[in-house]
């Protein structure tokens, strides 16, 4: 692969959809599936989906449970903790569409599992 070849997708956003059955905190308990679906719908509606654009993916545990629910955008490696659909809308509009990180939703770096 040539260094000048553009990536197949400009950005990937991965949503942790992990569900723990042992009572531990997990993203699935905090509306992660609905957030994933809303993001996917918005990306399609805005014409951002497809090769050379954005891909919205499900993920298993991303090991940032204490900050959940979380999503991560690559290639930048930007981690987000979100609360509701308005947060997802802001991530889509600002970061996925315009490349501007949503500072207020950044996952605190010390929060892991």
């Amino acid at each position: 692969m040539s260094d000048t070849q553009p990536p197949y997708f400009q950005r990937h956003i991965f949503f942790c959809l992990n569900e723990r059955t042992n009572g531990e905190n997990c993203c699935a308990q905090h509306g992660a599936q609905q957030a994933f679906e809303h993001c996917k719908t918005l990306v399609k509606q805005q014409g951002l989906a497809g090769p050379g654009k954005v891909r919205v993916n499900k993920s298993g545990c991303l090991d940032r449970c204490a900050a959940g629910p979380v999503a991560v955008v690559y290639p930048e490696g930007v981690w987000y903790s979100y609360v509701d659909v308005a947060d997802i809308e802001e991530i889509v509009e600002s970061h996925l569409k315009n490349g501007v990180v949503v500072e207020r939703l950044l996952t605190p770096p010390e929060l892991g599992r």
Side-chain angles (χ1 to χ4, degrees):
M1 187 162 128
S2 167
D3 288 339
T4 60
Q5 185 175 350
Y8 192 74
F9 292 109
Q10 181 185 27
R11 290 191 177 87
H12 268 91
I13 182 166
F14 292 90
F15 283 83
C16 176
L17 300 183
N18 194 52
E19 185 166 7
R20 297 189 184 282
T21 57
N22 63 1
E24 287 183 46
N25 191 40
C26 63
C27 292
Q29 296 171 347
H30 301 285
Q33 180 69 39
Q34 295 85 350
F36 163 78
E37 290 169 5
H38 189 62
C39 184
K40 197 165 182 85
T41 298
L42 288 173
V43 164
K44 284 181 181 176
Q45 284 175 347
Q46 295 187 27
L48 301 174
K53 299 178 184 175
V54 175
R55 173 78 181 163
V56 182
N57 283 97
K58 300 175 188 179
S59 172
C61 184
L62 292 171
D63 214 27
R64 305 285 308 265
C65 311
V70 296
V72 60
V73 177
Y74 287 109
E76 297 95 329
V78 173
W79 289 84
Y80 289 113
S81 295
Y82 56 88
V83 175
D84 55 25
V85 295
D87 290 346
I88 299 305
E89 291 166 0
E90 190 171 355
I91 291 168
V92 169
E93 183 65 28
S94 184
H95 194 155
L96 301 182
K97 185 175 183 180
N98 297 310
V100 178
V101 172
V102 183
E103 300 283 337
R104 72 177 192 83
L105 296 176
L106 290 176
T107 301
E110 70 278 4
L111 288 182
R113 188 148 177 194

